[in-house]
Amino acid sequence: MSVAIALDGPAGAGKSTIAKRAAKALDYIYIDTGALYRTIGLSAMRRNIEPVESKEVSDMLSEIKVEIAFNDKMEQIVLLDGEDVSSLIRTPEVSMTASKISAIPEVRAYLLDLQRDMAKKNNVIMDGRDIGTVVLPDAKVKIFLTASPEARAERRYKELLEKGMNVSYDDVLKDVNERDYNDSHRKTAPLKPAEGCVIVDTTELDFEQSVDKIISVIKENV
Ligand code: DC
């Protein structure tokens, strides 16, 4: 039997970097489900389709193929119709489109089996918004990782600057607040702590402390 760790929380809480390190330390596979919503967002942008419930979005879903694969360092990559789009999905525009398109029930249903299959076959730390509530409600450990909007915006701002993107802190904070609102107010699978989850707040923790905390929560509960 494979072991699943569900890791949910708002954008910019550090889920991906923290979970990657914890997965490596514990020999689990790290799965980033946000990348799947981003890939569908990118696909809609390329086709000039509005990220709202519509026949265009349904048709698009029946035409595209979204896959998870791993590179030789065992890092996740995402494929859109066979093309590696892992870097292309990391722009603020794709973030916003992904947040909007992820509110569409059909989009969520489309990605459900893919996510569950990954957890059936591997020991995973799966990072998302609804992993503990919807995708893997029977996960062995459920963690809700959060931090204040300002702390999250600050971290994302630094990340984007390091990638050479021209953004302002105020815009990033606005994006964080807007995405939090979208993610937690949608009708289908809104972002909220799962029943029985452990809440970890990293506002006052640095990266190493956050990783240690997550690893200890997992070890105590597996
Ligand atoms: O984690 P992220 O920022 O890469 O996710 C991009 C968007 O996808 C985010 O706004 C919310 C959505 N998402 C979701 O609805 N459910 C998930 N399991 C993962 C992400």
Side-chain angles (χ1 to χ4, degrees):
M1 266 287 274
S2 55
V3 178
I5 314 295
L7 182 67
D8 293 303
K15 291 193 305 286
S16 64
T17 36
I18 294 167
K20 266 182 211 162
R21 270 281 290 280
K24 207 166 228 170
L26 298 167
D27 205 18
Y28 280 59
I29 289 183
Y30 166 69
I31 308 278
D32 167 15
T33 62
L36 303 173
Y37 291 93
R38 287 169 179 270
T39 300
I40 293 182
L42 176 71
S43 171
M45 282 165 66
R46 284 180 168 177
R47 292 170 182 233
N48 278 321
I49 296 174
E50 281 292 306
V52 292
E53 202 161 3
S54 64
K55 183 169 183 312
E56 282 83 0
V57 170
S58 307
D59 289 348
M60 177 183 80
L61 292 176
S62 65
E63 286 163 20
I64 61 173
K65 190 165 183 201
V66 177
E67 293 164 286
I68 292 181
F70 296 91
N71 66 16
D72 48 12
K73 290 186 205 139
M74 274 313 278
E75 292 161 346
Q76 174 184 314
I77 54 176
V78 272
L79 306 174
L80 174 59
D81 297 325
E83 175 193 355
D84 179 357
V85 294
S86 311
S87 310
L88 296 176
I89 57 172
R90 297 293 158 195
T91 66
E93 293 76 23
V94 176
S95 296
M96 200 49 75
T97 310
S99 177
K100 289 179 180 152
I101 215 156
S102 67
I104 303 175
E106 214 179 327
V107 169
R108 307 202 70 82
Y110 174 86
L111 292 174
L112 204 52
D113 287 347
L114 174 57
Q115 297 172 84
R116 286 185 176 156
D117 271 0
M118 296 304 304
K120 239 182 247 157
K121 295 179 192 143
N122 311 283
N123 290 340
V124 295
I125 298 185
M126 192 172 283
D127 154 356
R129 302 291 189 286
D130 63 336
I131 309 305
T133 50
V134 176
V135 180
L136 306 173
D138 297 327
K140 184 89 183 156
V141 187
K142 300 177 193 176
I143 300 171
F144 193 83
L145 190 74
T146 189
S148 72
E150 290 75 18
R152 290 185 282 122
E154 179 79 33
R155 291 174 195 164
R156 184 134 294 191
Y157 173 63
K158 284 189 186 147
E159 247 174 60
L160 293 171
L161 283 192
E162 272 164 26
K163 285 185 188 154
M165 290 183 196
N166 183 17
V167 288
S168 76
Y169 169 78
D170 287 347
D171 283 346
V172 176
L173 179 61
K174 200 170 140 262
D175 270 18
V176 163
N177 282 324
E178 194 176 330
R179 286 217 286 150
D180 278 1
Y181 187 87
N182 287 346
D183 296 348
S184 53
H185 285 78
R186 63 176 179 232
K187 278 202 202 89
T188 312
L191 172 68
K192 60 171 186 212
E195 223 180 285
C197 75
V198 179
I199 297 184
V200 177
D201 188 323
T202 67
T203 306
E204 305 292 337
L205 302 183
D206 68 19
F207 177 66
E208 294 301 334
Q209 292 168 325
S210 305
V211 172
D212 288 349
K213 177 78 191 161
I214 293 297
I215 290 178
S216 68
V217 168
I218 295 173
K219 281 187 172 163
E220 277 162 26
N221 291 281
V222 167

